[in-house]
Amino acid sequence: MGIVLEIIKIASESVPKDAPGAQIKQINLEIGKLSAIVPESLLFCFDIASKETPADGATLNIEVIPVMAECKDCGANWEITGPVFSCEKCESGSINILSGREMDIKSIEILN
Ligand SMILES: [Zn+2]
């Protein structure tokens, strides 16, 4: 729920001060698979929390970012799809998570 309030706050602040009647049409989000955010519950909370804010009625677009890893030993790059966090090539457990933890607001579309 805290994340949703944060998104609404950022979106509301992006509405130009000289356009007080402006409505937020769409919010485009990127959410990493590892971020522990469930898109369905985010959408549900957004609907409730956005009432009577400039984001009321806005569409929340969620793009899920895959978990990408890099092996520190052999340099291989791959997408992690299961619970196994070891290198696909050399089976090393020494890996870097390159993406998948993020939660970014990519863009906000405002309707004047
Ligand atoms: Zn490796």
Side-chain angles (χ1 to χ4, degrees):
M1 197 66 179
I3 294 155
V4 170
L5 294 176
E6 190 67 17
I7 292 165
I8 292 168
K9 186 171 164 262
I10 293 166
S12 300
E13 282 167 359
S14 74
V15 174
K17 293 267 182 292
D18 57 355
Q23 280 283 314
I24 294 159
K25 191 182 155 207
Q26 193 164 297
I27 301 169
N28 298 312
L29 284 180
E30 276 187 352
I31 292 172
K33 268 190 181 171
L34 274 185
S35 65
I37 299 168
V38 181
E40 287 77 19
S41 57
L42 197 64
L43 288 170
F44 180 74
C45 292
F46 179 79
D47 269 357
I48 297 164
S50 64
K51 290 269 174 281
E52 286 165 33
T53 74
D56 195 351
T59 306
L60 202 56
N61 247 339
I62 299 172
E63 193 186 331
V64 179
I65 306 297
V67 184
M68 296 300 294
E70 181 187 53
C71 178
K72 286 182 188 173
D73 289 331
C74 75
N77 263 266
W78 74 100
E79 182 188 340
I80 295 179
T81 52
V84 184
F85 279 61
S86 59
C87 178
E88 276 193 342
K89 272 192 179 163
C90 72
E91 292 179 3
S92 163
S94 180
I95 62 171
N96 268 330
I97 303 296
L98 301 175
S99 70
R101 288 197 178 106
E102 56 272 83
M103 201 295 288
D104 285 324
I105 296 177
K106 237 174 108 189
S107 60
I108 296 167
E109 288 171 38
I110 294 165
L111 205 67
N112 283 305

